[in-house]
Amino acid sequence: MDLNDPRPLHDQVAEAIRRAVAEGSYAPGDRLPPARDLAEALGINANTVLRALRDLRDEGVLEFRRGRGVSVLSRPDPRSVLEERLRSLLAEAGQYGYGHDDVIDLIREIS
């Protein structure tokens, strides 16, 4: 987690899980570690992780089953994953004084 990132921690956690699922680290049907374990590994509050998990449940990425924990329901839409990463990139670029057009120019330069 990046404490300098202007986005709330629960959004950062949700993005990291969404990306892991999209990249295949977790497949549909796989169970995630308990929220308490994730929170401890990330050094954040368990309620922050739970909020991220609930957001992903509401998006249809995860499902909660009593007694069975949290499992991956589906892979997120690749476009939504890219959109989230772009939002993060634009927010970080803004911290350095770069605007949207500056980022687009940088992308054109490196591609």
Side-chain angles (χ1 to χ4, degrees):
M1 302 295 88
D2 183 359
L3 298 179
N4 295 319
D5 190 325
R7 294 174 305 140
L9 285 175
H10 71 273
D11 287 343
Q12 293 181 51
V13 172
E15 180 186 349
I17 294 170
R18 193 181 297 112
R19 186 176 34 229
V21 172
E23 292 173 350
S25 297
Y26 289 98
D30 287 352
R31 287 179 40 195
L32 295 180
R36 191 175 319 129
D37 293 352
L38 288 171
E40 187 175 313
L42 297 170
I44 59 175
N45 188 291
N47 289 323
T48 302
V49 173
L50 288 169
R51 184 169 178 188
L53 295 175
R54 284 192 300 270
D55 289 348
L56 292 171
R57 178 197 59 198
D58 295 345
E59 290 175 21
V61 175
L62 301 177
E63 74 175 334
F64 293 19
R65 288 191 174 177
R66 186 170 297 284
R68 299 194 67 189
V70 178
S71 60
V72 176
L73 185 58
S74 66
R75 289 221 158 105
D77 172 45
R79 181 180 173 98
S80 68
V81 172
L82 287 174
E83 287 173 356
E84 185 62 35
R85 292 176 84 178
L86 286 171
R87 282 187 199 93
S88 176
L89 172 65
L90 290 171
E92 185 175 354
Q95 291 177 345
Y96 295 111
Y98 290 97
H100 292 92
D101 291 336
D102 298 320
V103 173
I104 291 168
D105 290 342
L106 284 170
I107 292 170
R108 286 187 177 127
E109 286 177 23
I110 64 170
S111 58

